[in-house]
Amino acid sequence: MNVENFLQLPITKDFTVVAGRNGLHKSVQNVEILDFEFSPDIQTVRDTIFTPNSVVLSSLLFAKQQPEYLLNAVKNLIELGASALAYKPVIYEDLPEEVLMYADKNNFPILRFGGDEFFEKIILETMAYAKTQDYSFFLETMMRRLIEEDVPDEQIKSFLQQINKPFDKYVFVANIQVKDYVDNQWMQPLFQLEPLMKSGMICSYKQSLFILFTHSSEQFQFEKFLNEWLGMYAISTKPLTFGYSSCHVAQQELAIAVREAYYARIMAEIEAIPHRQYQTLASDCLLIELHRKDAKFAMDYVNSYLGPILEEKADPDLIKTAITYIRKKGNIKEVAVAHFCHPNTIRYRMAKIRQLLAPMENEYVFYERLAAAVKLYLLHSKMND
């Protein structure tokens, strides 16, 4: 976590930044209390008073009626590598201007308590948040490995042991993304489903969310079950895009299930539809595996085929029209509606695209090659978002 995350905790939500706003990115690994360590009357016996990357909490009692001690304290904290100073305004409501200017100059955040927050509770909440973030990071790292790598069976077993949850025989996976991504706040309502999941888990990955659910029956209707859950908690599915895996054996095929849900969701986004099951992707699975195994080869094909409409000097309407044409499965009228223009305008653009890309191919071969290239192009773009 960093200082900015620290300020987002429930107990610190009323804190204000009085100096050093440009240092809010600094890492926070600990929270410590400053009492009298910087008072000239105290002989410090420790070589290091405070550990680096700490937020230091203080009532500034050591500088009571001695404001000149404050600048020296801030200088020492910066030298010791502290991340921020948070003070309770009981001795000083406002700090001397020279202290604030020095903190600003050195990008050292100084925070003022919002009320009568207890030091101990701040420390406990910060450590609890850090522990949660560590576990979240572990889960996200494992999701990345399951998607991008060929993880050995022993590693998957280790992963299941570390999450320490009872997994049933079969696993069903959903990957969910909000259509108009702004921030991760949309995920929070979905996490309230996790207490219901005695044999599964919920975790984030990049800007998406994975729901892994296990069951004793291979015939379990996971998609229907998930929609009933969402309805019960009044979570709207309208802004969401879903990708669903097929049913797999949890212990041996977890990586396959995770990848299927992830790529099904990406293909749903590419096609601008609300949900997609991996088992319905047909030949698109070949494109997914091609890009997964050799992204450079896939993009070399894309650039060689779509190059004339991708280069900088090309009319940007051409690639946009080509993408919509494939999304609408060649329906000229639907493409025209999506681009707010006459069908003849779309026919003109498609004729121009065909002339630039493959003037000698017949209509069916052209559509097949254009669809493959456009889908690989969009797949690559989504993977790199």
Side-chain angles (χ1 to χ4, degrees):
M1 67 184 300
N2 57 24
V3 180
E4 189 169 14
N5 300 141
F6 173 78
L7 289 169
Q8 293 168 356
L9 297 174
I11 197 168
T12 61
K13 62 183 176 61
D14 294 326
F15 280 27
T16 55
V17 182
V18 298
R21 187 171 293 276
N22 289 335
L24 296 181
H25 64 279
K26 291 183 178 180
S27 173
V28 175
Q29 297 176 7
N30 202 3
V31 181
E32 300 181 88
I33 299 174
L34 165 61
D35 286 320
F36 294 97
E37 284 83 352
F38 294 130
S39 173
D41 302 324
I42 300 295
Q43 297 298 318
T44 304
V45 295
R46 289 181 291 170
D47 291 334
T48 304
I49 304 174
F50 297 103
T51 56
N53 303 119
S54 293
V55 170
V56 178
L57 311 177
S58 180
S59 61
L60 306 181
L61 189 60
F62 69 90
K64 185 177 182 180
Q65 298 178 347
Q66 300 290 339
E68 62 271 17
Y69 291 177
L70 294 173
L71 181 59
N72 181 61
V74 169
K75 288 181 177 179
N76 276 275
L77 288 174
I78 292 172
E79 289 175 3
L80 291 168
S83 297
L85 168 66
Y87 75 95
K88 183 176 283 193
V90 291
I91 307 299
Y92 292 94
E93 179 70 28
D94 300 305
L95 300 187
E97 190 63 28
E98 62 176 349
V99 174
L100 301 179
M101 289 177 64
Y102 189 84
D104 277 330
K105 182 179 178 181
N106 289 274
N107 297 326
F108 179 70
I110 296 181
L111 319 172
R112 181 167 55 207
F113 279 41
D116 192 28
E117 296 89 355
F118 290 105
F119 287 3
E120 293 78 7
K121 191 170 182 182
I122 293 172
I123 294 172
L124 288 173
E125 283 202 18
T126 304
M127 293 302 101
Y129 175 85
K131 186 176 181 181
T132 301
Q133 290 301 104
D134 286 344
Y135 183 62
S136 298
F137 179 75
F138 161 71
L139 292 178
E140 184 153 343
T141 300
M142 285 308 305
M143 290 299 106
R144 179 190 59 77
R145 292 195 61 196
L146 293 175
I147 291 168
E148 297 179 4
E149 304 174 17
D150 293 321
V151 182
D153 290 345
E154 289 302 316
Q155 192 78 49
I156 295 176
K157 289 179 182 178
S158 173
F159 167 54
L160 293 176
Q161 289 171 356
Q162 289 180 72
I163 64 173
N164 195 29
K165 284 193 174 184
F167 267 36
D168 237 315
K169 182 175 181 179
Y170 297 104
V171 63
F172 305 81
V173 181
N175 184 237
I176 309 170
Q177 168 69 290
V178 70
K179 292 185 176 71
D180 298 314
Y181 176 77
V182 178
D183 55 39
N184 285 339
Q185 295 304 310
W186 68 271
M187 296 183 188
Q188 298 310 314
L190 292 167
F191 273 105
Q192 67 184 320
L193 301 176
E194 191 157 25
L196 300 176
M197 302 184 65
K198 296 179 181 179
S199 59
M201 56 174 279
I202 299 177
C203 66
S204 60
Y205 176 71
K206 295 186 176 179
Q207 288 84 42
S208 71
L209 196 73
F210 275 106
I211 297 180
L212 283 71
F213 192 84
T214 62
H215 199 270
S216 58
S217 173
E218 191 175 3
Q219 306 303 319
F220 180 69
Q221 296 182 340
F222 173 59
E223 186 176 345
K224 179 182 177 182
F225 182 64
L226 179 57
N227 281 319
E228 289 176 353
W229 265 10
L230 296 173
M232 184 172 62
Y233 278 83
I235 298 174
S236 174
T237 60
K238 288 183 179 180
L240 303 177
T241 301
F242 294 79
Y244 294 98
S245 74
S246 302
C247 173
H248 290 279
V249 179
Q251 294 286 339
Q252 289 82 30
E253 301 174 332
L254 179 64
I256 297 173
V258 168
R259 281 199 297 268
E260 285 185 357
Y262 180 65
Y263 284 109
R265 190 265 301 168
I266 288 179
M267 293 308 294
E269 286 189 347
I270 287 173
E271 296 176 10
I273 56 177
H275 56 83
R276 196 75 196 267
Q277 295 81 20
Y278 187 84
Q279 62 189 12
T280 67
L281 294 184
S283 61
D284 287 344
C285 296
L286 300 176
L287 299 179
I288 290 168
E289 285 303 304
L290 172 63
H291 188 275
R292 195 173 79 83
K293 296 290 187 181
D294 196 339
K296 183 179 182 304
F297 176 83
M299 290 312 296
D300 284 344
Y301 171 77
V302 169
N303 291 324
S304 67
Y305 191 75
L306 297 181
I309 62 174
L310 286 177
E311 58 188 23
E312 288 187 16
K313 63 180 181 180
D315 182 351
D317 284 335
L318 296 183
I319 184 62
K320 292 177 184 177
T321 301
I323 290 171
T324 309
Y325 183 75
I326 298 305
R327 280 177 169 163
K328 300 299 183 182
K329 296 178 172 53
N331 188 312
I332 294 293
K333 290 183 178 179
E334 291 185 10
V335 178
V337 170
H339 285 267
F340 304 102
C341 60
H342 194 278
N344 286 342
T345 302
I346 301 302
R347 291 188 182 93
Y348 169 78
R349 290 179 189 169
M350 290 308 304
K352 190 172 182 179
I353 291 169
R354 186 171 175 181
Q355 183 63 35
L356 288 169
L357 302 186
M360 304 304 293
E361 292 176 352
N362 66 46
E363 184 176 344
Y364 299 105
V365 173
F366 168 67
Y367 181 85
E368 181 181 34
R369 293 194 64 188
L370 181 66
V374 165
K375 288 179 181 180
L376 282 172
Y377 170 75
L378 294 174
L379 180 62
H380 187 78
S381 298
K382 292 290 182 185
M383 293 292 292
N384 286 282
D385 274 349

